[in-house]
Amino acid sequence: MSHLGIKKPIIRADEHISKPKIGELLNRIEEGERAVFISDAGTPCISDPGAELVLGAHEREITVTAIPGPSAVTTALMLSGFYAQKFVFLGYLPRKTGAAKKILEQFLNSTMTMVLFEAPQRVQKTLKVLYEVLGERRAVLCREMTKIHEEIIRGNLSTLSSSLLTHKGEFTIVVEGMRKSSQFEENLC
């Protein structure tokens, strides 16, 4: 917005936009005001509170238009080099280990590549849970993608889970699905 010279009040939407705040914003739009929803961390509405705002707009039949931008999910998939014709996005795993393990157990024998997000202070714990449930798999940690301090860390879950990671910035973790003899050749036939 700064680049385009647009100077309007900004309403922050941190972890959760309250229903009354969504209602207030949608009322203003219905009265003729325009709104732009932007994110400073990837694509809006993907593991982001903006999804509630978009859903509310659709329910009121307010037109919503998207302008493609950087997506941590697809960018990390491209950088991983893993087969990703089929993948599953898990977002942020629950904080409780038991609940996280329960979700991951569903993918124990899956050949789909998995993508998830994690905060820097929790990435080590999440990597350990991934290794405990899924066993040895190749994984890629992506941080600050498309930015000046981009960092891509490759390895096996066992190695990555025992490494000391002291980075700032959110992580996108890509975990290879269960490998068959040759997934790539199998999917070409």
Side-chain angles (χ1 to χ4, degrees):
M1 287 174 57
S2 295
H3 177 73
L4 297 173
I6 300 169
K7 294 177 177 21
K8 294 290 181 179
I10 294 176
I11 300 167
R12 288 190 58 91
D14 290 338
E15 298 213 7
H16 180 72
I17 306 173
S18 69
K19 295 269 187 223
K21 179 60 82 179
I22 289 173
E24 176 187 323
L25 292 170
L26 295 175
N27 288 342
R28 290 172 62 183
I29 294 168
E30 287 178 325
E31 291 168 6
E33 292 187 48
R34 290 185 177 201
V36 175
F37 181 79
I38 60 172
S39 175
D40 64 353
T43 301
C45 303
I46 305 293
S47 279
D48 182 284
E52 295 176 45
L53 181 62
V54 172
L55 179 60
H58 287 307
E59 288 171 350
R60 292 192 188 196
E61 298 182 2
I62 296 172
T63 302
V64 176
T65 304
I67 299 172
S71 168
V73 174
T74 53
T75 303
L77 281 167
M78 290 186 291
L79 292 171
S80 75
F82 299 154
Y83 179 77
Q85 184 171 345
K86 294 181 182 177
F87 69 92
V88 62
F89 174 61
L90 302 175
Y92 288 91
L93 290 176
R95 290 184 177 268
K96 293 190 178 184
T97 302
K101 285 183 175 183
K102 194 170 188 168
I103 289 170
L104 292 172
E105 286 168 354
Q106 298 174 62
F107 302 98
L108 185 59
N109 296 311
S110 174
T111 57
M112 288 190 294
T113 298
M114 290 163 272
V115 182
L116 53 143
F117 292 158
E118 194 51 86
Q121 67 274 15
R122 293 183 32 82
V123 71
Q124 206 72 55
K125 179 181 177 183
T126 297
L127 288 167
K128 287 179 182 172
V129 171
L130 284 163
Y131 178 59
E132 287 172 14
V133 175
L134 302 174
E136 192 66 279
R137 301 223 186 153
R138 294 188 303 175
V140 176
L141 304 179
C142 303
R143 188 182 70 79
E144 297 293 305
M145 291 177 290
T146 74
K147 299 177 184 172
I148 195 166
H149 298 293
E150 178 176 278
E151 184 173 24
I152 310 302
I153 305 166
R154 299 174 180 282
N156 293 325
L157 284 175
S158 61
T159 306
L160 293 171
S161 67
S162 61
S163 301
L164 181 59
L165 300 171
T166 57
H167 304 283
K168 293 181 180 178
E170 300 293 310
F171 282 89
T172 302
I173 304 170
V174 184
V175 180
E176 187 175 40
M178 175 67 79
R179 293 177 79 182
K180 291 187 177 179
S181 56
S182 178
Q183 276 182 316
F184 183 72
E185 290 173 13
E186 209 172 271
N187 289 302
L188 286 178
C189 299

